């Protein structure tokens, strides 16, 4: 498969550390750099120039994970203000509602014609207790709400969604009901040996890269398993052989 479906998440990294890591990654990638995910922390600290610099210096597509969520007009203008940045994927919250999603898409078409907008359903940090506390809903309610959010993405013709591997099956079912398709991007990836040894970090529901691809994920977001490994060469070889 090569590394085209891999997205490396640079979470909470100091700029110097990110540079050291990306230089190593570039060496190990043998001219086929995976996509790089920049989160809110690094974007707020270093600003839009970081996106351009990483894109140009390491010749890599950029996933800007801002998870935008505000009134439609504000999200519209926020996306317009990213005009010209080399962004491959940009995230918004689906729970902003249909008008927000539509205004986001409208702005993306104007300012970022080469970008795919991805919708985030629920934060993985939310547990059953949070759903109960905030919306007074239980497990059935959560999955019904998840379905409604994915349907919003389908109805508005959003390019894709971010979800855990466990949810991909349901997303595929909703896709086939609507005869539309979404780019399915999944974090929560751990290598098989890490799963066997129980090295899951704070990820609760994980899948290996090959399981995730078999399930129908189109892109795999991998953070610490790559940024904190002492054998990046071995990990990149494993990914290249998928
Ligand atoms: O766990 P890992 O370091 O591979 O995380 C990669 C990405 O997965 C993070 O950038 C974040 O977007 C997402 N993540 C998540 N749930 C967690 C931890 C991370 O969705 N509990």
């Amino acid at each position: 498969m090569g590394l085209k479906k891999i997205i490396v998440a640079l979470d909470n990294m100091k700029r110097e550390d990110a540079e050291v890591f990306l230089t190593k990654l570039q060496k190990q990638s043998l001219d086929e750099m995976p996509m790089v995910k920049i989160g809110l922390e690094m974007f707020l600290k270093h600003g839009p120039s970081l996106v351009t610099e990483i894109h140009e210096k390491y010749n890599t597509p950029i996933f800007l994970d801002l998870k935008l969520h505000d009134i439609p007009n504000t999200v519209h203008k926020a996306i317009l203000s990213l005009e010209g940045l080399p962004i491959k994927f940009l995230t918004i919250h689906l729970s902003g509602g249909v008008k927000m999603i539509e205004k986001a898409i409208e702005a993306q078409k104007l300012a970022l014609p080469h970008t795919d907008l991805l919708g985030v359903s629920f934060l993985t940090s939310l547990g059953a207790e949070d759903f109960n506390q905030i919306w007074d809903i239980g497990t059935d309610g959560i999955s019904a709400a998840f379905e409604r959010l994915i349907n919003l993405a389908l109805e508005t013709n959003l390019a894709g969604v971010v979800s855990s591997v466990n949810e991909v099956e349901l997303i595929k079912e909703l896709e086939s009901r609507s005869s539309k398709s979404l780019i399915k991007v999944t974090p929560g990836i751990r290598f098989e040996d890490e799963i066997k040894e129980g090295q899951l970090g704070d990820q609760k529901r994980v899948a290996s890269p090959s399981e995730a691809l078999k399930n129908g994920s189109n892109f795999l977001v991998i953070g610490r398993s790559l940024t904190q490994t002492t054998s990046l060469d071995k990990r990149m070889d494993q990914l290249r052989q998928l």
Side-chain angles (χ1 to χ4, degrees), residues 1-237:
M1 165 199 90
L3 303 175
K4 277 191 281 298
K5 295 186 169 188
I6 305 298
I7 302 174
V8 184
L10 302 181
D11 292 316
N12 301 313
M13 262 197 179
K14 286 205 191 110
R15 194 171 182 147
E16 312 83 81
D17 296 341
E19 296 258 346
V20 171
F21 171 74
L22 288 170
T23 305
K24 267 199 260 170
L25 185 70
Q26 196 175 31
K27 236 182 248 162
Q28 300 296 343
S29 300
L30 314 175
D31 285 340
E32 194 192 20
M33 269 295 265
M35 195 180 304
V36 167
K37 180 164 93 76
I38 296 174
L40 191 58
E41 323 89 297
M42 287 186 86
F43 188 74
L44 291 179
K45 194 158 178 70
H46 303 292
S49 65
L50 182 75
V51 174
T52 315
E53 276 173 39
I54 292 185
H55 170 72
E56 285 176 359
K57 192 161 171 191
Y58 302 98
N59 190 24
T60 173
I62 303 288
F63 176 167
L64 188 59
D65 192 13
L66 298 184
K67 297 190 178 72
L68 298 170
H69 189 182
D70 211 312
I71 59 168
N73 203 31
T74 300
V75 168
H76 183 87
K77 291 202 170 127
I79 294 176
L80 289 185
S81 68
L82 296 171
E83 180 159 21
L85 287 182
I87 302 166
K88 178 68 193 125
F89 288 157
L90 175 69
T91 46
I92 59 172
H93 268 284
L94 294 170
S95 52
V98 67
K99 290 193 202 72
M100 191 205 84
I101 300 171
E102 283 172 354
K103 288 297 275 182
I105 294 172
E106 197 183 298
Q108 172 266 313
K109 287 192 173 141
L110 287 169
L112 298 167
H114 306 296
T115 301
D116 286 319
L117 275 187
L118 307 178
V120 174
S121 56
F122 294 124
L123 298 174
T124 56
S125 55
L126 295 177
E129 276 172 35
D130 299 293
F131 283 97
N132 193 12
Q133 187 177 49
I134 306 170
W135 295 289
D136 193 21
I137 52 174
T139 322
D140 289 350
I142 300 170
S143 80
F146 177 80
E147 268 196 51
R148 288 196 295 272
L149 289 176
I150 300 302
N151 280 330
L152 273 188
L154 289 163
E155 282 159 24
T156 52
N157 292 315
L158 199 66
V161 289
V162 183
S163 79
S164 86
V165 176
N166 305 51
E167 285 146 356
V168 170
E169 202 57 52
L170 174 57
I171 297 172
K172 285 197 297 195
E173 199 185 307
L174 298 173
E175 280 179 323
S176 63
R177 271 191 233 158
S178 70
S179 319
K180 288 184 183 174
S181 77
L182 293 162
I183 303 168
K184 292 168 284 299
V185 178
T186 55
I189 305 295
R190 291 290 179 273
F191 288 92
E192 265 147 38
D193 55 296
E194 294 178 304
I195 297 175
K196 260 187 222 143
E197 288 162 21
Q199 296 168 17
L200 309 185
D202 58 0
Q203 294 279 16
K204 290 188 190 114
R205 290 172 302 161
V206 299
S208 70
S210 60
E211 278 170 335
L213 290 174
K214 223 183 288 156
N215 253 277
S217 301
N218 305 118
F219 288 89
L220 316 181
V221 180
I222 313 180
R224 289 159 289 184
S225 297
L226 294 176
T227 57
Q228 293 179 11
T229 180
T230 47
S231 36
L232 187 62
D233 50 347
K234 176 180 129 196
R235 293 309 191 197
M236 297 312 276
D237 273 345

